[in-house]
Amino acid sequence: MSKNLRINNKQFVDETRKLSFIFNGKKLYGYKGDSLASALLSNDIHLVGRSFKYHRPRGIMTSGSEEPNAILQIGNDDALTEPNVRATEIELYNGLVCNSQNCWPSVKFDIGGINNFLSPLLPAGFYYKTFMWPASFWEKYEYFIRKSAGLGKSPIKQDPDMYDHRYLHCDILIVGGGVSGLIAAKIASDDNKKVLLLEDKELLGGSLIYDDSDISKIDNQKSSEWLRKFIDNIKKDKNIIIKTRTSLAAYHNYNFLLARQNLTDHLSVNERNNKIRQRLYKIRAKKVIISTGAIERPQVFHNNDRPGIMLASAVKKYIDYYGVRCGLENVIFTNNDSAYETALSLHKSGTKLNAIIDIRDNSSSEIVNQVKNLGIQIYWNHTIVDTKGYKRINKVTVMRLNDKGNDVIGKKIELNCDCLAISGGWTPMVHLFTQSGGKLKFDNKDNIFVPDKTNLDQLSIGSAKGDFELDDVLKNSIKYTKKFLNIENSNFDKIDVKCSKEKEKKNIWLLPSDRPLSKTKPFLDYQNDSTAKDIKLALREGFKSIEHVKRYTTTGMGTDQGKLANMHALGIVADTTNTNMGDLGTTTFRPPYTPLTFGTIVGRNVGQFFDIFRKTPMHEWHVDNNVKFENVGQWKRAWYYPKDGETMHDAVQRESKAARESSGILDASTLGKIDIQGTDANEFLNRVYTNAWSKLQIGKCRYGLMLNEDGMVYDDGVTTRLGENHYLMTTTTGGAANVMSKLEDYLQTEWPELDVFLTSVTDHYATASVCGPNAKKIINKIFKDLDLSDESFPHMSFKEVKLGDINCRVMRISFTGELSYEINVEASYGKHIWEKCIEAGKEFNITPYGTETMHLLRAEKGFIIVGQDTDGTMTPVDLQMDWIISKKKYDFIGKRSLYRSDTIREDRKQLVGLLTDDPNEILEEGAQIVKDENKKPIDMLGHVTSSYFSPTLKKSIALAVLKEGKQLKGQKLLVPMIDKTIKVTVSDTIFLDKENERING
Amino acid sequence: MFLINCPYCGERDQSEFVSGGEAHIARPKQPTELNDDQWAEFLFMRKNIKGVQFERWNHVHGCRKWFNVARDTSNDKIEKIYKMGEQPPKL
Amino acid sequence: MKNKYSIFSLIKNAFSNHENWQRAWRDPEPKKEYDAVIVGGGGHGLATAYYLAKKHNLKNIAVVEKGWIGGGNTGRNTTIIRSNYLWDASAGLYDHALKIWEGLSQELNYNVMFSQRGVMNLAHNLQDVRDLKRRTHANRLNGIDAVWLETDEVKKFCPIINTSQDIRYPVLGGTLQKRAGTARHDAVAWGYARGADEMGVDIIQNCEVKGIKRIGDTVEGLETTKGFIKTKKIGVVAAGHSSVIANMAGLKLPLESKPLQALVSEPVKPIIDTVVMSNAVHAYVSQSDKGELVIGAGTDSYVSYTQKGSFNIVEDTLKAILELYPIFSRMKMLRQWGGIVDICPDASPIISKTSIKGLYFNCGWGTGGFKATPGSGDLFAHTIANDEPHKLNAAFNINRFVSGDLVDEHGAAAVAH
């Protein structure tokens, strides 16, 4: 720390706690309470970055979130490093490591600086006009463009930090803990409202809390003193919840707001362990009060971007809050009174102020008079026409303005300085207001946009509303808040405020220079290097809308999102095109207000919490038996159970052989199950399935096919009639939730007259499906008293039976073509019944099989899987399942669509079987089928939907959808692969047991 | 993120609901009587109004009830919520 | 060309301090009558006007735009360009566009920065694998350069993807189309506008259509905020507002307009050099030339014209991004916005005549219209000029919703077992 830059300041900075940090490899010191920016400044470091395009040296310019230049890479750990952090917003901690970005080899000597000399070739939008020849070279140009673009570096390892979400509800949300927000909070609290107050800084009080001026007084006390006591009061108020280090990120419709709280970024790295880094608050507020303040504008003149050029308000804050002088030889350049507060702060702190340059003719306000009395040289009606100093400003050149303010006259005056404090007036922070959909209006007197109309229950107060002087801020905030909350009287109605009043105003968006504009560099957007020239070029080229100008010149598109640049850009467009700024409108302010970490947005929903795991009650058994799982929707389904290093193919061959030759067992718990009850349940099924249900007897099961209203197959499954008015429907695993929703929709909205109740019972029951020639023997061992004879318990029927105290629903249904029983029990008994089956089946080599084997077994029988053999474009007729469409029923979901001109075409794609000429060749699922592979363009007839090697048939089999497939049985076709063409023959879809004999064991 | 006042549960966050599109498109009672054009009108054609639209919403992560909403699609303001089977309000 | 852009013209203009660049397009008042009026000054509309003037010898053309050109979905999308579609009709349409993209900067003399950095689609479950392989086979046979990648090849092509098999939805492979990529969205609108303007097309901004006048079943002209414009041919390319215009003509379309959101991160040095899309976990990401991560989110379930979606959609998208790229957790969202996308029931567009003579619609592009811009403009121009679709857009007629002959590009996404 440079001794002559530090001012003794015990109030906000703790000089007893010295902290070390590393900037660009150099060890430096600051104090607890410093921001990284103030610590750098106290070490006489202004130059911290290079600009995006021209790589011009840039210094710290502000003290807040509008900072365009001091954007640093924090940390050098591969996982913890963070790009593009504003030095002005980060609190200094011990051991902080930071580096300049976008420069090579160093911020002091940056090769990219050559761009500054090429700048005549790089006007706005130059890249649209070149890099086009030769055509193939764009990618080579682009490689270099990409390399030079970007600011910091992304981490390259996984973030170990935790992030969190929390919901908050309140009567009144107050955004911004400056004086207006605090007063509003108190008024609301006194009215017994639940108040939530957010402040993005560590401390409450805004800029008034460190204001050392003795001009402004509240109730006859120094305003900062008054405020300090007031804050102590607020903190004790039980109605007010205060969240500091919490910045409002987004203001959405219906008063839904997002705020981010920083919890550890101000701590040293070893203090952060096991703490949540950031928390996202999702806030629902009945009413919202925006008191986010205003930010100071720079002025736009030639070479206004050198390190050492700072906003006047920032210079003041560094002195009054952080106790840091930004320079030893200061000059102020202003168009308004507020910079005179900086002058007083400089004076009070004993810092040299060489001169004030003011574009106004004069000012007679109290504060200016005070400065005048100090004998400080003020150049009225003057402007800066140039600055000198490559890595730090060392001179300004000043000239007199002409009467119109559009040119300069007289002699050049040169003034020395190492810090130039500039002020172009103030811009209310209306970002949140506009994000919420509010409309702005332009105030011609102050050249500002202020909140106007809104649909939401919200209020803007303080300088965010356009009140800049303390008496207006307080009195209007009180008045508006009372009106907003419908309050007659408040405890502040007699508040007495004194302050200096500004009388003279003058604003020139682009200050004139002694050189032609083309020879100057008056920057608007410091980060993106866009200048007033660029704006004018865009206008000359026909870009008229402000959005066009913004996009063409990239003004306002940096990480500060135009907080400093936008007003000047608008002003220059308005002046150039002779338009009123109010008619021009603003560009859209998009959320978030300040950048929001992805991790914060996602919160805890990462890693294993990314999505729900749905596990069947038998899950642990599968794990213990070396299962491989398949993701089906949210479910983990047993896929196959490899033994002793088996491949999936080996395992599936073994599993399916066992199921066909002796017995297999499948966990079918994931199938969707819907309990249907009511006197109209039967009619309901008639309407939702294509087939007829009227004659289904109690205790019997039936397969059903469900269509979408567009006639395409939607879902399928077996439904069992449990009682007179009671059915249990099963659906596909992946389709369960959608089927349930669809059925509820029809029931509630189309057929409310039906007496039907639906309950999803998928999770309530576990299902073990035992199949194979020995299935009956196994079931018999478990349910000794159950009559399993075909007469008593035929295929497609159901029995209720007890196993000890466990109620079991046993269905004799089959998806494999084998004799097969599905035992349904309450979920908590699932593992028990599964183990019972395994135990009973031991002597029959009962083999657990997964979805892969299940798919193979059903494919041998030609059973479809909805979603695999269908894709939303297949009708039941296409699937050659005409038999399932009831001819008698007047209507069912999707029926009408089956008779449209396209759906009745004979040459649609239809489900067929395919056999490869080489029985060992297994087709790839998804492979396309053609007749002639030499014809161009090639005519694709269809594709392979399911394909397996059948150990039972000892050949490969496949299902496919094929144009005019029904007509093509026996035809030879081709399946062209990348490296070969496979010959196939179209076959029937049933490959095994066409007579359905195995179903009886 | 709207707040939707479910007629059965009260005010809830929009993320608990799913929209079912334009309301008052009754499924034809006699689909087979319709020609392809009329059926397509029912199946696919939508007013897609910019302004107040009558639409269906389902409290899918709540009571799972369907109900109707009159909402201005130009600013997402909900004007009125009414139950299934009720006539749309005159606004 | 009156004002050819090149490095030489840049140098030349640098000497005159860039004072002498000509206007990229004029700012005319509407004439009383045009041969054809395009409603909607987005990429598709401007391209339509450009090709009408260039290929169909129609010179008296206007584009009317309610706001500023390129201000709708053209300037709001994530700029992904690819042609690896499943069905022949779609593949034909999008590959036609892709072929034009490949020479577009030169054709327009405007650098649209078409960057063929490849688009990878990831598979996260076995049905994804089947579907993507099916698509890849179809693409290959249709002459589209798509290949299947195994998981290790996915990792090799984009090393920052988390391909661990232990994550919730592991990457099981993917497809890659190398000719696919991204372009600079604004430049596409501006390039076509400049090209069209040069051929005499009047681009009329801040001109909102208020009504469509017709006599019987034939159009007569447009009522606009800048007065009545007489014309016999109206091509509507109004994206999210298509139904609004259709309603003026007494037509209903099979469309719903829904919010679609996108976001960008703060700019960083190159970290991802391709476009990666994942339907199953819903995350699309690429990195712009400026260094921002460009991330596409999903659509909301409801109709809205507010250009704002609900926050939980953004949250879900970033969840998926962090699942696939855990290194991005400390990256920061810089901007988030929404557009209004007009979605057809089959997720395919409409480029079609209507029952009203002289009224044509180009709409229903849903979430993926940007990639088709040049092809869509070309084919729509053909349709308007000849009152007959080109064979490449014949399948995309409105009548398909009556006959049932849909081009169902999302049907294949059905998940069931």
Side-chain angles (χ1 to χ4, degrees), chain A residues 120 142 159 282 596 611-612, chain C residues 18 168-169 289 315 329 333:
Chain A
E142 195 187 27
D159 187 354
K282 298 179 172 183
L596 198 53
D611 196 11
I612 296 161
Chain C
H18 301 289
R168 183 66 184 88
Y169 295 106
D289 285 349
E315 207 177 310
S329 167
M333 175 165 90

Side-chain angles (χ1 to χ4, degrees), chain B residues 1-2 14-15 18-19 21 36-37 40-41 44-50 53 57 71 73-76, chain C residues 66 241 243-244 247 252-257 300-306 310-312 345 401-402 406:
Chain B
M1 296 277 276
F2 324 153
Q14 176 209 321
S15 55
V18 67
S19 165
D36 281 2
D37 279 304
E41 178 81 14
F44 296 127
M45 301 304 165
R46 298 293 177 263
K47 288 186 203 141
N48 197 25
I49 288 170
K50 182 179 186 178
Q53 158 164 300
W57 283 79
R71 181 177 55 96
T73 61
S74 69
N75 59 18
D76 287 339
Chain C
K66 165 173 86 151
H241 281 77
S243 297
V244 176
N247 292 343
K252 258 203 233 172
L253 295 172
L255 294 178
E256 285 191 303
S257 295
D300 274 294
S301 69
Y302 55 88
V303 169
S304 180
Y305 288 86
T306 59
S310 49
F311 180 71
N312 52 322
F401 298 97
V402 176
L406 302 183

Side-chain angles (χ1 to χ4, degrees), chain A residues 103-170:
Chain A
C103 52
W104 187 84
S106 78
V107 70
K108 288 187 181 160
F109 178 76
D110 175 20
I111 295 282
I114 197 165
N115 283 3
N116 191 32
F117 299 99
L118 294 174
S119 65
L121 291 178
L122 313 174
F126 71 96
Y127 30 80
Y128 300 125
K129 292 175 176 156
T130 183
F131 302 127
M132 288 182 277
W133 293 270
S136 60
F137 263 50
W138 167 241
E139 267 153 61
K140 295 185 177 61
Y141 296 127
E142 195 187 27
Y143 173 79
F144 290 102
I145 291 172
R146 286 173 81 87
K147 250 186 106 160
S148 65
L151 293 170
K153 294 190 190 90
S154 163
I156 51 171
K157 282 195 181 151
Q158 182 158 357
D159 187 354
D161 274 331
M162 271 187 300
Y163 301 84
D164 196 25
H165 285 178
R166 189 178 286 175
Y167 290 89
L168 289 176
H169 300 261
C170 59

Side-chain angles (χ1 to χ4, degrees), chain B residues 2-3 5 12 15 17-18 31 41 49-50 52 55 58 68 71-72 76 79 82 86:
Chain B
F2 324 153
L3 274 177
N5 196 357
R12 295 287 190 280
S15 55
F17 299 83
V18 67
E41 178 81 14
I49 288 170
K50 182 179 186 178
V52 176
E55 57 190 16
N58 182 227
N68 293 314
R71 181 177 55 96
D72 189 335
D76 287 339
E79 304 285 350
Y82 56 105
E86 291 178 4

Side-chain angles (χ1 to χ4, degrees), chain A residues 723-741:
Chain A
E724 177 62 31
N725 295 319
H726 191 187
Y727 295 79
L728 182 68
M729 173 188 278
T730 58
T731 73
T732 60
T733 298
N738 289 337
V739 170
M740 180 71 188
S741 292

